[in-house]
Amino acid sequence: MKRRPAATVALYAAAVVVGLFAVAPFAWMLLTSIKPEGEILRKTPSLWTAHPDFGRYREVMHAGFGRALRNSLIVATGTTVAGVAVAALAGYALARFDLPLRRYLLLMVMGVQMFPLFVVMKALGLLDSWLGLILAYLSFTTPLTVWLLRSFFETIPKDLEEAAMSDGATRFGAMVRVIFPLAGPGLAATAIFSFIAAWNEFLFALTFLKKENLRTLPVALSAFVGRSQADWGLIMAASVLFTIPVVVFFLAVHRRLTTGMVAGSVTG
């Protein structure tokens, strides 16, 4: 049925309003990062500044923020790749195979979050290492992603992979070529969740990493807040740099997995 012009205009207007509502915090953060100090602390805030100052970004990078950005990228990417790979295989197994005590296995997966991580990491000698921090992040991201992907796999008919296997594909081949593309939205959701959770996490990074050259962005960002005062211009500049990689990752993952899902549907 053809949509009425008024309905189309209302739909686009609503989309613009939602978009502005979503972008407004980032735009205000960006604007604050280039305002002179006097304008930031003004009682009546202005929507623009006649004297933008981009020097704070250079100051933030000279303060070691670039190194922290590299560390966060390594840890968040490692957590995402390992977490999605483990969750995809485990979720598929729980959805497709009639495993003994399958219901209790799911509860055991969720119970991994209760382990005394600091004691375990110290005993294994993994403190002050990216590997130790990645494993710590996997302890709270993987249980939820396994649970989510299991639900996605259960919605995909078994007939599709059985048809692929009858055509000569192995179970692993059918899983990779047929099931995973169809589970694209679930894989995208788990990848985005894992990346954002690892990117934003502060407490584990502060506890497990004592070396300054290994600290991640949330810990580096907290250094801009003093005991008696805070430089809001520097904090906003650092926050802009903190946010950009998450947006880029979201757009890249969403586009690639959506394309893969459509291609897999056509192939199947």
Side-chain angles (χ1 to χ4, degrees), residues 192-213:
I192 292 169
F193 166 76
S194 297
F195 187 87
I196 293 178
W199 188 265
N200 291 335
E201 205 285 323
F202 172 77
L203 186 59
F204 283 175
L206 181 66
T207 304
F208 294 163
L209 300 178
K210 297 302 182 182
K211 296 179 180 178
E212 186 175 353
N213 64 327

Side-chain angles (χ1 to χ4, degrees), residues 168-201:
T170 62
R171 177 172 288 275
F172 182 79
M175 177 180 65
V176 172
R177 296 176 183 176
V178 178
I179 303 303
F180 282 0
L182 293 175
L187 294 171
T190 54
I192 292 169
F193 166 76
S194 297
F195 187 87
I196 293 178
W199 188 265
N200 291 335
E201 205 285 323

Side-chain angles (χ1 to χ4, degrees), residues 51-155:
H51 307 285
D53 180 15
F54 293 93
R56 291 193 182 96
Y57 289 93
R58 182 172 58 253
E59 187 176 348
V60 165
M61 297 305 292
H62 287 168
F65 209 75
R67 182 177 60 233
L69 176 63
R70 177 205 64 187
N71 296 340
S72 282
L73 284 173
I74 292 173
V75 173
T77 302
T79 302
T80 302
V81 172
V84 172
V86 171
L89 296 175
Y92 177 84
L94 290 171
R96 286 292 188 262
F97 300 133
D98 190 16
L99 300 173
L101 304 176
R102 183 175 60 176
R103 182 179 303 176
Y104 299 100
L105 285 175
L106 285 172
L107 295 177
M108 290 174 61
V109 169
M110 299 298 291
V112 170
Q113 302 179 64
M114 302 175 63
F115 287 176
L117 287 176
F118 185 85
V119 176
V120 173
M121 294 300 169
K122 184 176 181 181
L124 296 175
L126 292 175
L127 296 180
D128 277 326
S129 69
W130 289 328
L131 177 60
L133 191 60
I134 290 173
L135 292 176
Y137 289 170
L138 288 174
S139 70
F140 67 84
T141 59
T142 303
L144 182 57
T145 54
V146 169
W147 195 284
L148 290 174
L149 283 178
R150 171 194 173 244
S151 300
F152 270 97
F153 290 134
E154 287 182 337
T155 62

